[in-house]
């Protein structure tokens, strides 16, 4: 079992969200405590309560990402507790992708993620 950086009692209600709120985040964020460096929204899987959001520290290797043991499924509010700076971007449409630049702010990369 993974030892998450935030305990359940540390999670505060930060997000008002209508609709499915599931998302995927890597252990770099939830276990190691790094800020989100890259995030994108793909078409949600209709079989699950999926928002379509995927969150990465930004320096994960392809090998790391392909290993499902290095990621988990979380509620969006939980991930907002790890990095509240993502909240203004969560209403972005499917296909949006953002990266944190050297200035520490998120910048829109593209709108063609499927």
């Amino acid at each position: 079992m993974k030892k998450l950086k935030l305990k359940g009692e540390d999670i505060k209600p930060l997000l008002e969200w209508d609709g499915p709120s599931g998302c995927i985040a890597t252990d770099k964020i939830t276990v190691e405590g790094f800020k989100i460096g890259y995030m994108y929204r793909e078409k949600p899987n209709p079989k699950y309560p999926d928002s379509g959001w995927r969150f990465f520290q930004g320096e994960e290797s392809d090998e790391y990402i392909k290993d499902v043991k290095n990621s988990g499924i979380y509620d969006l509010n939980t991930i907002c507790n790890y990095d509240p700076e993502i909240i203004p971007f969560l209403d972005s449409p499917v296909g949006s992708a953002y990266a944190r630049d050297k200035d520490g702010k998120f910048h829109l990369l593209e709108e063609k993620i499927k």
Side-chain angles (χ1 to χ4, degrees), residues 9-109:
E9 60 267 18
D10 297 330
I11 305 296
K12 308 292 182 232
L14 299 178
L15 180 66
E16 290 186 31
W17 186 261
D18 289 328
S21 61
C23 65
I24 297 173
T26 69
D27 290 353
K28 293 281 186 184
I29 299 160
T30 58
V31 175
E32 296 182 45
F34 286 98
K35 284 189 169 264
I36 294 166
Y38 176 70
M39 61 185 187
Y40 68 89
R41 190 174 194 186
E42 64 185 8
K43 185 176 180 182
N45 185 330
K47 295 180 183 178
Y48 302 102
D50 182 14
S51 69
W53 279 108
R54 311 298 181 242
F55 300 99
F56 305 86
Q57 180 257 340
E59 296 182 8
E60 295 92 337
S61 68
D62 287 341
E63 271 184 41
Y64 181 94
I65 292 170
K66 286 178 187 175
D67 186 346
V68 296
K69 294 178 197 158
N70 293 325
S71 298
I73 299 170
Y74 302 94
D75 186 85
L76 276 175
N77 185 72
T78 298
I79 300 305
C80 289
N81 275 263
Y82 281 91
D83 193 346
E85 294 173 25
I86 66 171
I87 294 172
F89 304 97
L90 295 179
D91 284 327
S92 298
V94 168
S96 300
Y98 295 90
R100 193 184 300 266
D101 217 336
K102 291 180 182 180
D103 62 6
K105 297 183 191 292
F106 282 107
H107 298 277
L108 182 65
L109 292 179

